[in-house]
Amino acid sequence: MDKIDAYIETMTPQKALQNKALSLPKTEKLIEDVDFYIENGNYVFTTWFHLKRGNCCGNNCRHCPY
């Protein structure tokens, strides 16, 4: 998790478009506290999740790197 946090700290919107997470194998299983956390009963997706997805969904997500 420390490596993911360090990587995310270097992210800019320009760098996000060609980030290393895009090349990771796609998986349907999400990992709590890596891909999301729960706040007041709601799922909040992390910057890492958004980087793995590879684009902005346009929903003004709190942790969107794009």
Side-chain angles (χ1 to χ4, degrees):
M1 188 66 185
D2 290 339
K3 287 185 180 186
I4 291 174
D5 290 340
Y7 181 68
I8 288 169
E9 287 180 22
T10 69
M11 203 50 51
T12 64
Q14 294 77 22
K15 289 173 70 176
L17 295 173
Q18 299 175 359
N19 77 82
K20 294 177 183 179
L22 288 172
S23 63
L24 294 173
K26 301 302 180 207
T27 178
E28 292 185 23
K29 183 178 179 184
L30 299 178
I31 302 169
E32 189 169 0
D33 296 325
V34 174
D35 294 310
F36 71 95
Y37 57 91
I38 298 175
E39 181 179 273
N40 299 322
N42 298 311
Y43 283 74
V44 179
F45 292 108
T46 65
T47 302
W48 182 247
F49 170 84
H50 292 293
L51 290 171
K52 290 192 311 183
R53 186 178 61 208
N55 61 354
C56 178
C57 64
N59 288 324
N60 199 27
C61 298
R62 181 186 307 174
H63 300 293
C64 182
Y66 303 98

